[in-house]
Structures are given as C-alpha cells and as structure tokens.
Amino acid sequence: MTPAKRNTLPKTARKIPLDFSLTTVNIVLLLIFFFLVSGSLIETEELSVDLAETSELPLDRLPRPLLLMDVGDKLQLNGDPVTKDTLRAALSPLLNKDRPRLHILADRDVPAGALVSLIQRGDLQGIEIKLVTLRQHTPKS
C-alpha cells in the first residue's frame, strides 16, 4: 500500500432512508377491516329505541301551558283544540310575560319533521320551548 492510500478514511456506505408508507397503509387497512367486521356484528334490534307509553294521561298534573300534538297535525292547547294558525293568538294570554314558556307533548307516532317544523315557526320565536315526556308507570310487586 502506498502511504497516500493508507491515510484516507474508507468511504461510508450510503444509508437507505426508511419508508413508513407501507406500514401506514397496513395499519389503515387493518382498521377498516376491523370496523367493517365489528359493524356487521351489531344486530338491528340493539339499535332500536323503545318509546314511552302512557295508558292514562293525567292532564291536570302536567305543566301549563301544554300543547298536545297528535298524528295528523291535531293540536290541543290545555285540552282545547287549536290550529297552527290560531296557536299564537290562543297562547298569548296563557304565557308568563317575564319568561314565556310552552310545554309540548307529542304523540309517539308524530313524525319528527312535523315536531321540528312546529318548533321552528316564526310566531313562536321568543318563547322557551320545553318537550314533555312521560314515563310508563309499572306497579311494584
């Protein structure tokens, strides 16, 4: 060996950069498969909702003013039949001036869209809306 070659450092091997894209794709695919399989294991009965049922409705014990909403857009304000057009006029004398509040009790068969459209009416703006729900009373044995 010549003295010039002896004093030089050996060339370092070129480092290959690590590529994590394949690992990332594998993890994402595993997550997709997991959620597809676990989603198909849930039965549709587990996702159903049991709505409250009432056999006797004591109207005198419910908060006032109370708007009962039945299927077919039938409305009753404190037991008196009203229409959507006459609702505001019938409701005005019943409201508290400091804090106007209306309680709504909708039948279980009323479509949600009908309830939402009633709540969003312009003539009910400024009135606090509360939905009333009833529990089914089961006698203790």
Side-chain angles (χ1 to χ4, degrees), residues 77-99:
L77 183 62
N78 290 341
D80 299 325
V82 294
T83 64
K84 288 183 180 181
D85 298 329
T86 61
L87 176 62
R88 181 60 187 204
L91 188 60
S92 293
L94 301 174
L95 292 176
N96 183 352
K97 302 301 179 204
D98 297 332
R99 211 168 165 187

Side-chain angles (χ1 to χ4, degrees), residues 4 8 10 15 18 27 33 36 56-57 59 63 67 84 103 109 121:
T8 61
K15 289 187 176 181
L18 298 175
I27 291 173
F33 289 140
L36 283 175
E56 295 180 19
L57 185 61
L59 291 177
L67 180 66
K84 288 183 180 181
H103 300 90
D109 296 325
R121 288 177 52 96

Side-chain angles (χ1 to χ4, degrees), residues 108-129:
R108 66 182 293 155
D109 296 325
V110 171
L115 178 63
V116 171
S117 68
L118 177 74
I119 292 172
Q120 292 178 342
R121 288 177 52 96
D123 57 350
L124 293 181
Q125 286 186 351
I127 299 175
E128 181 181 359
I129 305 282

Side-chain angles (χ1 to χ4, degrees), residues 51-58 62 105 132-138:
L51 298 175
E53 295 179 10
T54 304
S55 58
E56 295 180 19
L57 185 61
L62 294 174
L105 175 62
V132 178
T133 59
L134 300 172
R135 294 186 201 162
Q136 184 177 8
H137 178 67
T138 53

Side-chain angles (χ1 to χ4, degrees), residues 19-34:
D19 186 17
F20 292 106
S21 61
L22 182 63
T23 308
T24 306
V25 168
N26 285 341
I27 291 173
V28 169
L29 285 175
L30 285 173
L31 286 172
I32 290 173
F33 289 140
F34 170 75

